[in-house]
Amino acid sequence: MTMPPGPGPILNLLQAFQSSAIVNSAIELGAFAALENGLKSAAQVGKAVGAPERSTAILLDAVTALGLLQKEGRKYRLSPLADAHLVPGRGGYIGDAARIVCDPVIWDAMGRFTQAVRHGGTVLHNHAESAGQKFWDCFAQHSSALAAPSAEYVAALLGRFMEERPHSRILDLACGSGLYGLTLARRFHHARVTLLDRANVLSPARRRTKETAVHERIEVLAADMFDADLGGPYDIVVASHVFHHFNARTCEQLLRRLGKVTSPGGRLIVHDYVPDETRTANAPAALFAALMLAWTREGNTYTYSEYTKLFAKGGFLAPVMHAPPHLTTQFLVGERKPRRSRLE
């Protein structure tokens, strides 16, 4: 007689938010930083982070059980993974990502997911598209660890194109941190870059621009991408994590706008979660679509076939999709078609 599977995996899924809360607290309190220099007791870590020994020990034991610390007797040390990525100030540090992924407004959105499903979109009064949404300030300040590998990948994708057009003009749309545009400006020494986002988001991008040696080739433009003059024409437009915020109709409107400011033969790069055609095999994309349901009015992730139709509406050829194994997101690169003459 075949026994039915046990409920363990389901219980693990239901309790997954507890793991997020525990790791987020360890980052927020500075527990990983306190353990940077080797073995320490819960009392020593507690003193460093300003917490009682008892509660610190419970936290450290939980983090150990999750694989991010190692325990020897009554003392703790960083695991190799935490040592590489959770000590502030080191090159591989990704702890700032917790400020985004575990932001209270995101947790609030997912805590109301059932209501969002029934409603057909976010039920939050203060959601992703709310005017002056402060989450985007936080995102712009703390997204570097998430954006840096993707920005380097975009630069690699554009290498051959930039050999032919070294003096290209580049638009970093809804630039957030500005890291994509700044990375391209540093990599391609003759390119001129426009960083575009709403005024309330641009402070980190302005600061990073001033700190770089390429600031003379950078323009920072405070504008609404749906209403303002986007400038141009541009040889390259980069739209990272933009389209998932909107329904297909709004995406089409934006693609048409981008088509008008992209030079014939120019490139549009869309970086986003691109689900497979069944929408079930690419787990990160499926989960992100669920987040968009809870966090936006009509946002979603879009398949390659859906993006192909959207690119065509904007006057672009069918995009080529790149799915680097070290990232959970995908990159679509489309060429702007030659504009038709009036005689055609």
Side-chain angles (χ1 to χ4, degrees):
M1 178 178 172
T2 302
M3 295 295 293
I10 296 173
L11 294 174
N12 289 338
L13 290 172
L14 290 172
Q15 293 174 332
F17 78 98
Q18 296 176 4
S19 299
S20 298
I22 290 164
V23 176
N24 182 52
S25 293
I27 294 170
E28 192 173 289
L29 289 166
F32 295 107
L35 288 165
E36 178 180 6
N37 296 319
L39 282 168
K40 287 187 175 65
S41 67
Q44 291 173 303
V45 175
K47 183 177 180 180
V49 305
E53 179 181 356
R54 173 183 170 275
S55 55
T56 301
I58 291 173
L59 170 67
L60 297 179
D61 285 341
V63 176
T64 301
L66 292 173
L68 295 177
L69 296 179
Q70 297 170 345
K71 191 173 183 180
E72 298 181 18
R74 300 185 66 181
K75 292 188 175 182
Y76 305 84
R77 71 164 73 248
L78 298 172
S79 72
L81 183 62
D83 190 56
H85 297 296
L86 289 174
V87 178
R90 294 187 180 174
Y93 181 67
I94 63 165
D96 281 347
R99 299 286 296 275
I100 298 169
V101 178
C102 299
D103 188 280
V105 72
I106 298 297
W107 282 25
D108 190 18
M110 293 308 294
R112 302 187 189 187
F113 189 68
T114 300
Q115 294 169 267
V117 173
R118 287 177 175 151
H119 180 68
T122 186
V123 295
L124 298 183
H125 175 71
N126 187 28
H127 53 74
E129 298 153 88
S130 297
Q133 170 58 261
K134 292 185 178 180
F135 171 81
W136 298 120
D137 301 357
C138 175
F139 186 91
Q141 292 179 46
H142 300 291
S143 60
S144 294
L146 297 174
S150 301
E152 292 293 341
Y153 190 79
V154 168
L157 286 177
L158 289 171
R160 183 171 297 179
F161 180 85
M162 292 300 293
E163 290 176 4
E164 300 173 356
R165 298 193 186 192
H167 295 274
S168 290
R169 292 191 63 193
I170 299 171
L171 172 64
D172 185 355
L173 187 75
C175 67
S177 66
L179 197 59
Y180 289 83
L182 292 171
T183 298
L184 295 177
R186 285 193 293 265
R187 179 71 68 88
F188 306 116
H189 299 161
H190 301 290
R192 303 194 67 84
V193 175
T194 297
L195 304 177
L196 184 147
D197 214 321
R198 292 183 176 180
N200 65 303
V201 180
L202 280 171
S203 293
R206 291 186 191 278
R207 185 184 68 252
R208 288 189 177 96
T209 297
K210 291 178 181 179
E211 293 171 352
T212 68
V214 299
H215 64 274
E216 293 183 353
R217 293 187 283 114
I218 304 290
E219 176 190 14
V220 180
L221 180 60
D224 185 314
M225 61 187 172
F226 289 103
D227 299 322
D229 181 355
L230 299 179
Y234 299 101
D235 302 284
I236 297 164
V237 175
V238 178
S240 178
H241 293 298
V242 173
F243 290 96
H244 58 237
H245 289 101
F246 312 110
N247 61 27
R249 181 179 65 258
T250 304
C251 290
E252 179 182 329
Q253 175 189 347
L254 182 55
L255 257 298
R256 290 184 186 276
R257 296 205 82 209
L258 297 180
K260 291 177 181 178
V261 299
T262 305
S263 300
R267 298 291 189 272
L268 169 64
I269 298 183
V270 170
H271 171 218
D272 219 314
Y273 290 90
V274 182
D276 65 292
E277 298 300 324
T278 73
R279 291 186 167 273
T280 58
N282 183 340
L287 295 177
F288 197 80
L291 174 59
M292 291 302 98
L293 175 62
W295 173 226
T296 70
R297 289 176 293 187
E298 296 183 276
N300 204 349
T301 55
Y302 297 97
T303 65
Y304 173 79
S305 62
E306 289 170 325
Y307 268 118
T308 298
K309 293 176 183 177
L310 289 170
F311 271 60
K313 295 288 187 181
F316 294 90
L317 297 173
V320 176
M321 185 165 75
H322 302 265
H326 64 291
L327 298 172
T328 58
T329 47
Q330 291 73 45
F331 300 79
L332 299 169
V333 184
E335 179 180 344
R336 180 66 171 90
K337 298 177 184 176
R339 293 184 175 90
R340 293 182 178 179
S341 69
R342 295 182 179 180
L343 298 177
E344 290 184 84

